Amino acid sequence: MKRTVSAALAALCCLVFLTGCGTMKTSWRDTKKLYRSYINTDPTIDFSDEGISDKGLQRLAALFMPADERLMGMLRTLGAQDTPPDGEWTQQILSKYDWLSSVAVIDTSGTVLSQVPSVTMRPLDYTGLLEYADRYPTRKMGAQVKTDEFGTVVMVGAPYFKNNEYAGLVVASFDPRNLMKFSPDPGALVVVSTQGLVWAGDGGQGEALAGLKWDDILKGAVQGELTAAGGQYAWQARYLGQMEMVYLTDVREAKARKPEPPKAAPAPAPAEAAPAARAPGDVPAEPTGVPMTPPS
C-alpha cells in the first residue's frame, strides 16, 4: 500500500514538474520576443533619407550653412572670453576667423581701450552697442548693423568682467562680404536683420525683403516661406545678440527642378587572373634593381 502511494506521488510530482517546465519555456520565449521587439531592437539606418525633404529648404541650407557655421563658431569663442583679453588672444581670434575686420576692447562709456588692427580704413563707432547695457551684466551679447558710404558692418559685443562686475565689451566687427564668400553661391542669398539689410545678394530684392515687418514675422516662427518681392523665399532666422538675422533665398527654381535619376551601381571590378603554376625547378624572374639572395 505504501509502495503504491509513493509511486502515485512520484508520478504526480513528475507531471507537475513537466507541466511547469513547459510553461516556463513558453513564458521565456514570449519574454525574449517582447524584449527583441520593443527594447533591444536591431538598429537600422536609412542612408537614402536626407533629413530635409523640402527642396527649398535644402537649397537654403546649402547656401547659408558654410557662412553661418563660421559665424556661430566665432560667437562661441567671443562669448567664452569674459575677462579683458590680451593681445595674444586677440591675434588668435583674428587668425582663426580671418573674415573678421577688427576686434576692439571698450569700457562701459564706449572708450576704446585697445583695437586690432590699431589703424583701420574705416572708423567705427561702438557707442550704439551701449544701448543694450541691461543685457551685459547677465552675460548676454549685443549686436548692431550699420551702413554708411563704406558699406555695411556688423558689430557684436560680448561683456567682460572685473571682480565679477560688468566692465566693458569685447567687440568683433566684420564686413558681410567677407563672411558671405564662404557660401557656394553668395549672389543667390539675401541676409536681412531686425535692424536692416545685411547682404543684398545679386537679385536686386534685398531692400524690399529688408523692408518687410520682420518683428511681426519672427514672433511666431524662426523658419518659413513667404512670397514677396516677386519671388518665393525660404528663410531661416538666427539670433545675433538681441538682434535676429534672417537668411533668405528664392526657391522657385529649386522646387521646379526634377529629381535626378538614381545612379547605377558601379560594375564590380574584374577578378585578377590567378598566376600560372610553375613547373618544378622554375626560378622566378628577379625584380629590377633588387638582387636575389641565393638560398643558403
PDB file of all heavy atoms in Angstrom, residues 101-123:
ATOM      1  N   SER A 101      37.006  91.873 -39.421  1.00  0.00           N
ATOM      2  CA  SER A 101      37.726  93.100 -39.779  1.00  0.00           C
ATOM      3  C   SER A 101      38.568  93.611 -38.622  1.00  0.00           C
ATOM      4  O   SER A 101      39.688  94.092 -38.831  1.00  0.00           O
ATOM      5  CB  SER A 101      36.739  94.191 -40.213  1.00  0.00           C
ATOM      6  OG  SER A 101      35.941  93.745 -41.289  1.00  0.00           O
ATOM      7  N   SER A 102      38.033  93.554 -37.393  1.00  0.00           N
ATOM      8  CA  SER A 102      38.760  94.070 -36.236  1.00  0.00           C
ATOM      9  C   SER A 102      38.165  93.514 -34.951  1.00  0.00           C
ATOM     10  O   SER A 102      37.034  93.010 -34.941  1.00  0.00           O
ATOM     11  CB  SER A 102      38.704  95.603 -36.201  1.00  0.00           C
ATOM     12  OG  SER A 102      37.376  96.054 -35.987  1.00  0.00           O
ATOM     13  N   VAL A 103      38.939  93.594 -33.889  1.00  0.00           N
ATOM     14  CA  VAL A 103      38.487  93.267 -32.538  1.00  0.00           C
ATOM     15  C   VAL A 103      38.919  94.411 -31.636  1.00  0.00           C
ATOM     16  O   VAL A 103      40.085  94.801 -31.623  1.00  0.00           O
ATOM     17  CB  VAL A 103      39.076  91.933 -32.037  1.00  0.00           C
ATOM     18  CG1 VAL A 103      38.711  91.703 -30.568  1.00  0.00           C
ATOM     19  CG2 VAL A 103      38.586  90.771 -32.891  1.00  0.00           C
ATOM     20  N   ALA A 104      37.965  94.960 -30.882  1.00  0.00           N
ATOM     21  CA  ALA A 104      38.244  96.096 -30.007  1.00  0.00           C
ATOM     22  C   ALA A 104      37.779  95.794 -28.594  1.00  0.00           C
ATOM     23  O   ALA A 104      36.856  94.994 -28.388  1.00  0.00           O
ATOM     24  CB  ALA A 104      37.558  97.357 -30.527  1.00  0.00           C
ATOM     25  N   VAL A 105      38.421  96.434 -27.626  1.00  0.00           N
ATOM     26  CA  VAL A 105      38.018  96.358 -26.220  1.00  0.00           C
ATOM     27  C   VAL A 105      37.610  97.755 -25.792  1.00  0.00           C
ATOM     28  O   VAL A 105      38.391  98.711 -25.929  1.00  0.00           O
ATOM     29  CB  VAL A 105      39.170  95.843 -25.328  1.00  0.00           C
ATOM     30  CG1 VAL A 105      38.731  95.787 -23.872  1.00  0.00           C
ATOM     31  CG2 VAL A 105      39.630  94.464 -25.795  1.00  0.00           C
ATOM     32  N   ILE A 106      36.369  97.894 -25.322  1.00  0.00           N
ATOM     33  CA  ILE A 106      35.880  99.203 -24.892  1.00  0.00           C
ATOM     34  C   ILE A 106      35.399  99.096 -23.441  1.00  0.00           C
ATOM     35  O   ILE A 106      35.079  98.013 -22.956  1.00  0.00           O
ATOM     36  CB  ILE A 106      34.736  99.722 -25.788  1.00  0.00           C
ATOM     37  CG1 ILE A 106      33.493  98.821 -25.669  1.00  0.00           C
ATOM     38  CG2 ILE A 106      35.184  99.786 -27.244  1.00  0.00           C
ATOM     39  CD1 ILE A 106      32.272  99.343 -26.416  1.00  0.00           C
ATOM     40  N   ASP A 107      35.370 100.249 -22.757  1.00  0.00           N
ATOM     41  CA  ASP A 107      34.850 100.252 -21.389  1.00  0.00           C
ATOM     42  C   ASP A 107      33.363 100.585 -21.399  1.00  0.00           C
ATOM     43  O   ASP A 107      32.749 100.713 -22.482  1.00  0.00           O
ATOM     44  CB  ASP A 107      35.648 101.209 -20.497  1.00  0.00           C
ATOM     45  CG  ASP A 107      35.550 102.668 -20.951  1.00  0.00           C
ATOM     46  OD1 ASP A 107      34.643 102.992 -21.762  1.00  0.00           O
ATOM     47  OD2 ASP A 107      36.368 103.480 -20.499  1.00  0.00           O
ATOM     48  N   THR A 108      32.770 100.742 -20.256  1.00  0.00           N
ATOM     49  CA  THR A 108      31.324 100.946 -20.167  1.00  0.00           C
ATOM     50  C   THR A 108      30.868 102.291 -20.707  1.00  0.00           C
ATOM     51  O   THR A 108      29.676 102.489 -20.935  1.00  0.00           O
ATOM     52  CB  THR A 108      30.860 100.800 -18.711  1.00  0.00           C
ATOM     53  OG1 THR A 108      31.617 101.707 -17.886  1.00  0.00           O
ATOM     54  CG2 THR A 108      31.071  99.378 -18.214  1.00  0.00           C
ATOM     55  N   SER A 109      31.803 103.212 -20.933  1.00  0.00           N
ATOM     56  CA  SER A 109      31.441 104.513 -21.512  1.00  0.00           C
ATOM     57  C   SER A 109      31.642 104.551 -23.019  1.00  0.00           C
ATOM     58  O   SER A 109      31.314 105.538 -23.672  1.00  0.00           O
ATOM     59  CB  SER A 109      32.274 105.625 -20.864  1.00  0.00           C
ATOM     60  OG  SER A 109      33.650 105.480 -21.204  1.00  0.00           O
ATOM     61  N   GLY A 110      32.176 103.460 -23.597  1.00  0.00           N
ATOM     62  CA  GLY A 110      32.419 103.409 -25.033  1.00  0.00           C
ATOM     63  C   GLY A 110      33.815 103.799 -25.443  1.00  0.00           C
ATOM     64  O   GLY A 110      34.140 103.785 -26.637  1.00  0.00           O
ATOM     65  N   THR A 111      34.679 104.138 -24.492  1.00  0.00           N
ATOM     66  CA  THR A 111      36.065 104.496 -24.795  1.00  0.00           C
ATOM     67  C   THR A 111      36.826 103.255 -25.248  1.00  0.00           C
ATOM     68  O   THR A 111      36.763 102.203 -24.613  1.00  0.00           O
ATOM     69  CB  THR A 111      36.757 105.103 -23.566  1.00  0.00           C
ATOM     70  OG1 THR A 111      36.029 106.258 -23.154  1.00  0.00           O
ATOM     71  CG2 THR A 111      38.194 105.481 -23.882  1.00  0.00           C
ATOM     72  N   VAL A 112      37.541 103.390 -26.363  1.00  0.00           N
ATOM     73  CA  VAL A 112      38.312 102.269 -26.900  1.00  0.00           C
ATOM     74  C   VAL A 112      39.604 102.131 -26.100  1.00  0.00           C
ATOM     75  O   VAL A 112      40.443 103.032 -26.087  1.00  0.00           O
ATOM     76  CB  VAL A 112      38.612 102.475 -28.389  1.00  0.00           C
ATOM     77  CG1 VAL A 112      39.464 101.325 -28.920  1.00  0.00           C
ATOM     78  CG2 VAL A 112      37.314 102.578 -29.192  1.00  0.00           C
ATOM     79  N   LEU A 113      39.768 100.980 -25.462  1.00  0.00           N
ATOM     80  CA  LEU A 113      40.977 100.712 -24.675  1.00  0.00           C
ATOM     81  C   LEU A 113      42.069 100.077 -25.529  1.00  0.00           C
ATOM     82  O   LEU A 113      43.253 100.323 -25.319  1.00  0.00           O
ATOM     83  CB  LEU A 113      40.642  99.809 -23.493  1.00  0.00           C
ATOM     84  CG  LEU A 113      39.532 100.315 -22.556  1.00  0.00           C
ATOM     85  CD1 LEU A 113      39.283  99.308 -21.443  1.00  0.00           C
ATOM     86  CD2 LEU A 113      39.871 101.685 -21.990  1.00  0.00           C
ATOM     87  N   SER A 114      41.669  99.258 -26.461  1.00  0.00           N
ATOM     88  CA  SER A 114      42.614  98.643 -27.403  1.00  0.00           C
ATOM     89  C   SER A 114      41.843  98.205 -28.638  1.00  0.00           C
ATOM     90  O   SER A 114      40.630  97.986 -28.583  1.00  0.00           O
ATOM     91  CB  SER A 114      43.333  97.445 -26.768  1.00  0.00           C
ATOM     92  OG  SER A 114      42.415  96.409 -26.488  1.00  0.00           O
ATOM     93  N   GLN A 115      42.569  98.086 -29.741  1.00  0.00           N
ATOM     94  CA  GLN A 115      41.930  97.679 -31.001  1.00  0.00           C
ATOM     95  C   GLN A 115      42.974  97.065 -31.914  1.00  0.00           C
ATOM     96  O   GLN A 115      44.093  97.565 -32.006  1.00  0.00           O
ATOM     97  CB  GLN A 115      41.269  98.871 -31.686  1.00  0.00           C
ATOM     98  CG  GLN A 115      40.580  98.528 -33.007  1.00  0.00           C
ATOM     99  CD  GLN A 115      39.811  99.708 -33.574  1.00  0.00           C
ATOM    100  OE1 GLN A 115      38.804 100.118 -33.028  1.00  0.00           O
ATOM    101  NE2 GLN A 115      40.306 100.263 -34.669  1.00  0.00           N
ATOM    102  N   VAL A 116      42.608  95.974 -32.554  1.00  0.00           N
ATOM    103  CA  VAL A 116      43.478  95.321 -33.535  1.00  0.00           C
ATOM    104  C   VAL A 116      42.676  95.100 -34.811  1.00  0.00           C
ATOM    105  O   VAL A 116      41.592  94.488 -34.749  1.00  0.00           O
ATOM    106  CB  VAL A 116      44.015  93.970 -33.003  1.00  0.00           C
ATOM    107  CG1 VAL A 116      44.908  93.301 -34.052  1.00  0.00           C
ATOM    108  CG2 VAL A 116      44.792  94.167 -31.710  1.00  0.00           C
ATOM    109  N   PRO A 117      43.163  95.616 -35.945  1.00  0.00           N
ATOM    110  CA  PRO A 117      44.366  96.444 -36.095  1.00  0.00           C
ATOM    111  C   PRO A 117      44.162  97.831 -35.477  1.00  0.00           C
ATOM    112  O   PRO A 117      43.032  98.321 -35.399  1.00  0.00           O
ATOM    113  CB  PRO A 117      44.557  96.506 -37.601  1.00  0.00           C
ATOM    114  CG  PRO A 117      43.192  96.282 -38.178  1.00  0.00           C
ATOM    115  CD  PRO A 117      42.494  95.363 -37.239  1.00  0.00           C
ATOM    116  N   SER A 118      45.268  98.437 -35.055  1.00  0.00           N
ATOM    117  CA  SER A 118      45.168  99.721 -34.354  1.00  0.00           C
ATOM    118  C   SER A 118      44.711 100.838 -35.277  1.00  0.00           C
ATOM    119  O   SER A 118      44.072 101.800 -34.832  1.00  0.00           O
ATOM    120  CB  SER A 118      46.525 100.077 -33.727  1.00  0.00           C
ATOM    121  OG  SER A 118      47.548 100.089 -34.720  1.00  0.00           O
ATOM    122  N   VAL A 119      45.035 100.739 -36.555  1.00  0.00           N
ATOM    123  CA  VAL A 119      44.606 101.740 -37.534  1.00  0.00           C
ATOM    124  C   VAL A 119      43.774 101.029 -38.597  1.00  0.00           C
ATOM    125  O   VAL A 119      44.215 100.038 -39.179  1.00  0.00           O
ATOM    126  CB  VAL A 119      45.813 102.446 -38.188  1.00  0.00           C
ATOM    127  CG1 VAL A 119      45.336 103.442 -39.230  1.00  0.00           C
ATOM    128  CG2 VAL A 119      46.671 103.142 -37.136  1.00  0.00           C
ATOM    129  N   THR A 120      42.565 101.490 -38.817  1.00  0.00           N
ATOM    130  CA  THR A 120      41.682 100.877 -39.813  1.00  0.00           C
ATOM    131  C   THR A 120      41.265 101.901 -40.856  1.00  0.00           C
ATOM    132  O   THR A 120      41.243 103.113 -40.594  1.00  0.00           O
ATOM    133  CB  THR A 120      40.413 100.307 -39.144  1.00  0.00           C
ATOM    134  OG1 THR A 120      39.691 101.378 -38.510  1.00  0.00           O
ATOM    135  CG2 THR A 120      40.775  99.265 -38.101  1.00  0.00           C
ATOM    136  N   MET A 121      40.961 101.395 -42.043  1.00  0.00           N
ATOM    137  CA  MET A 121      40.497 102.265 -43.126  1.00  0.00           C
ATOM    138  C   MET A 121      39.127 102.849 -42.802  1.00  0.00           C
ATOM    139  O   MET A 121      38.774 103.917 -43.298  1.00  0.00           O
ATOM    140  CB  MET A 121      40.406 101.468 -44.428  1.00  0.00           C
ATOM    141  CG  MET A 121      41.736 100.969 -44.945  1.00  0.00           C
ATOM    142  SD  MET A 121      42.740 102.304 -45.614  1.00  0.00           S
ATOM    143  CE  MET A 121      41.750 102.775 -47.028  1.00  0.00           C
ATOM    144  N   ARG A 122      38.396 102.163 -41.942  1.00  0.00           N
ATOM    145  CA  ARG A 122      37.028 102.570 -41.644  1.00  0.00           C
ATOM    146  C   ARG A 122      36.893 102.857 -40.151  1.00  0.00           C
ATOM    147  O   ARG A 122      37.005 101.948 -39.335  1.00  0.00           O
ATOM    148  CB  ARG A 122      36.079 101.459 -42.040  1.00  0.00           C
ATOM    149  CG  ARG A 122      34.636 101.732 -41.721  1.00  0.00           C
ATOM    150  CD  ARG A 122      33.794 100.536 -42.106  1.00  0.00           C
ATOM    151  NE  ARG A 122      32.392 100.878 -42.187  1.00  0.00           N
ATOM    152  CZ  ARG A 122      31.492 100.162 -42.821  1.00  0.00           C
ATOM    153  NH1 ARG A 122      31.860  99.069 -43.454  1.00  0.00           N
ATOM    154  NH2 ARG A 122      30.236 100.541 -42.848  1.00  0.00           N
ATOM    155  N   PRO A 123      36.672 104.094 -39.752  1.00  0.00           N
ATOM    156  CA  PRO A 123      36.471 104.385 -38.321  1.00  0.00           C
ATOM    157  C   PRO A 123      35.141 103.800 -37.847  1.00  0.00           C
ATOM    158  O   PRO A 123      34.122 103.897 -38.530  1.00  0.00           O
ATOM    159  CB  PRO A 123      36.461 105.919 -38.273  1.00  0.00           C
ATOM    160  CG  PRO A 123      36.061 106.346 -39.649  1.00  0.00           C
ATOM    161  CD  PRO A 123      36.582 105.304 -40.589  1.00  0.00           C
TER     162      PRO A 123
END
